[in-house]
Amino acid sequence: MNLLLMSSSRSADSGFLEANADELAALRIRRALFIPYAIVGEDRAERVSFVSERVAELGIKLDDIDEAADPVKAIETADAVLVSGGNTFHLLATMYRNGIVDPLRARVRQGMPYVGWSAGSNVAGRSIRTTNDMPIVYPPTFRALDLVPFQINPHFTDAMPEGLRGETREQRIREFLAAHPQELVLGLPEGTALRVEGDRMRLAGRHDAWLFRAGEPRLRLAAGRDLSHLL
Amino acid sequence: MNLLLMSSSRSADSGFLEANADELAALRIRRALFIPYAIVGEDRAERVSFVSERVAELGIKLDDIDEAADPVKAIETADAVLVSGGNTFHLLATMYRNGIVDPLRARVRQGMPYVGWSAGSNVAGRSIRTTNDMPIVYPPTFRALDLVPFQINPHFTDAMPEGLRGETREQRIREFLAAHPQELVLGLPEGTALRVEGDRMRLAGRHDAWLFRAGEPRLRLAAGRDLSHLL
């Protein structure tokens, strides 16, 4: 497989797709099918053009799947796919409604490059059960593409909004692991990414990430570290 | 109906159930069925005892629904119910699994007092589609008790964790409204509560709250304000 799964499109110290731009360029994608199903709201068209213009600077021409007559055929004939962030529930529900989950998984497992950020990375994991998003629509299942055999938590942070008494991100992940002790969760801080090439995986970006298992303290994964054992 | 729907059990300036203790005391509940289905994790028993001890100080004796032989019968014979916070998905999924959603709705509509906080307030709304929680388990639907004809967003805040580039709470609610423009969302900051008595509703607690509608700026709801028109 050939995956680039970014935590986020932006981080505190970098602009749109900037933190992992070298990794994205190294994929040498010239044309990609864009899956914007996570983008919800009035400014949808504007956001799709923004992404198109930005990736054009990296030499990538985007085709919007929503412009295709048949989304399944579009997946079957794509050179690569880019899956944007936004709302993970809306993304997954639309992927199922348009019947692209199985064909997309099959193509990516056969080697088609897959690039995602935020919600687009979350759906590459086993399920969306560790998303941070609001469940604005009800998908037919939380099971996702299962391209990597663990759960991803994008935008991972230890920070809490000032004055708030809700749960920390780690507490939320611990609740998930209490309900599903056999699962692994990778907490990817903004600016980090997972780069999968064949049967190898490493942590890309300049920051460390975290591995959570039930009943164990979290494990720091140093920037650049090989993570192939998790595949 | 006789409802007390608290945003949270704690706030920046108050301890457990302290911010709305007067409202809770005014309900004059002596005995209540406790629904702890939102509580997930190893410290579950400890957290249930903590709640029992704290509400005992307010003169309320709790019966844990998980100690009852038949949860439906327990709902049918309860004097009042208290529904705690924790994980909203786990709460709703367990309510459906144990068959208590319809009997609980029926009893509360007949006048049985309902007290909830955080997840326990969220499920009193039309659906859980505006929860902040992680979707750790898949409920059979997002539809909830529908005791009040709008959506609740508990722990509402404008603050963002420092350094994070994810979406603000208002952006998340706006995405929900973009997908469902006919719905109303009440953003309840920590320390606030909704108090429903018969066909009247008011905002309890010392802070203001916010009403969100599609295509309109959010509306400030002043502390203490009558909100009966939203019922």
Side-chain angles (χ1 to χ4, degrees), chain B residues 127-178:
Chain B
S127 79
I128 64 164
R129 291 170 299 174
T130 50
T131 176
N132 312 305
D133 293 344
M134 199 170 260
I136 63 171
V137 292
Y138 185 69
T141 171
F142 287 161
R143 283 190 294 275
L145 290 166
D146 197 20
L147 302 174
V148 288
F150 47 79
Q151 292 286 135
I152 291 172
N153 179 249
H155 303 276
F156 181 81
T157 181
D158 287 313
M160 279 286 283
E162 203 187 325
L164 205 74
R165 297 296 300 260
E167 293 160 306
T168 65
R169 186 70 58 78
E170 176 158 2
Q171 282 174 318
R172 293 166 190 272
I173 292 172
R174 292 289 174 198
E175 284 180 359
F176 170 77
L177 289 171

Side-chain angles (χ1 to χ4, degrees), chain A:
Chain A
M1 285 194 299
N2 196 2
L3 316 180
L4 179 60
L5 307 176
M6 295 175 261
S7 169
S8 58
S9 59
R10 291 183 172 85
S11 71
D13 51 8
S14 62
F16 188 77
L17 299 186
E18 203 175 74
N20 311 109
D22 290 354
E23 302 284 348
L24 182 51
L27 285 170
R28 298 178 181 280
I29 297 169
R30 289 289 153 260
R31 186 160 193 155
L33 185 66
F34 184 49
I35 302 179
Y37 297 160
I39 302 175
V40 188
E42 290 168 11
D43 57 350
R44 192 181 169 292
E46 195 181 306
R47 289 173 68 187
V48 172
S49 337
F50 173 82
V51 175
S52 295
E53 285 165 29
R54 181 66 191 91
V55 303
E57 294 167 22
L58 299 169
I60 304 171
K61 183 185 180 319
L62 280 195
D63 300 304
D64 185 346
I65 192 169
D66 283 336
E67 306 282 316
D70 178 348
V72 173
K73 190 160 286 177
I75 293 287
E76 285 168 353
T77 57
D79 292 339
V81 295
L82 261 67
V83 187
S84 86
N87 183 283
T88 309
F89 295 87
H90 200 271
L91 169 58
L92 190 68
T94 312
M95 287 172 75
Y96 277 109
R97 194 173 65 238
N98 291 350
I100 69 165
V101 173
D102 292 339
L104 177 56
R105 182 190 295 118
R107 290 277 342 258
V108 177
R109 287 190 177 162
Q110 287 157 14
M112 177 176 68
Y114 180 103
V115 175
W117 57 90
S118 192
S121 295
N122 207 301
V123 296
R126 284 172 50 77
S127 79
I128 65 164
R129 291 170 300 174
T130 50
T131 176
N132 312 305
D133 293 343
M134 199 169 260
I136 62 170
V137 292
Y138 185 69
T141 170
F142 288 161
R143 283 191 293 275
L145 290 166
D146 197 19
L147 302 173
V148 288
F150 47 79
Q151 292 286 136
I152 291 172
N153 178 249
H155 304 276
F156 181 81
T157 181
D158 287 313
M160 278 287 283
E162 203 186 325
L164 204 73
R165 296 296 300 261
E167 295 161 303
T168 65
R169 187 68 58 80
E170 175 157 4
Q171 282 174 318
R172 293 166 189 271
I173 292 172
R174 293 289 173 197
E175 285 181 358
F176 171 76
L177 290 170
H180 309 284
Q182 76 289 7
E183 302 273 5
L184 293 185
V185 182
L186 257 76
L188 297 180
E190 294 183 346
T192 67
L194 297 172
R195 176 72 179 103
V196 177
E197 294 173 86
D199 58 357
R200 312 295 297 168
M201 179 169 75
R202 67 183 158 76
L203 180 62
R206 285 180 300 145
H207 302 289
D208 299 345
W210 299 96
L211 176 63
F212 297 89
R213 285 183 218 263
E216 295 180 22
R218 68 187 189 178
L219 191 69
R220 180 187 289 273
L221 306 174
R225 181 176 159 173
D226 185 276
L227 299 173
S228 306
H229 62 290
L230 298 176
L231 287 179

Side-chain angles (χ1 to χ4, degrees), chain B residues 1-3 75 77-81 103-104 107-114:
Chain B
M1 285 194 299
N2 196 3
L3 316 178
I75 293 287
T77 57
D79 292 339
V81 297
L104 177 55
R107 290 275 345 258
V108 178
R109 287 189 176 163
Q110 285 157 14
M112 177 177 67
Y114 180 103

Side-chain angles (χ1 to χ4, degrees), chain A residues 163-166 171, chain B residues 6-20 47 50-51 54 117-118 155 188-192 207:
Chain A
L164 204 73
R165 296 296 300 261
Q171 282 174 318
Chain B
M6 295 176 262
S7 169
S8 58
S9 59
R10 290 183 173 86
S11 71
D13 50 10
S14 63
F16 188 77
L17 299 188
E18 204 175 74
N20 311 108
R47 288 173 69 188
F50 173 81
V51 176
R54 182 65 191 91
W117 56 91
S118 191
H155 303 276
L188 296 180
E190 294 182 346
T192 66
H207 302 289

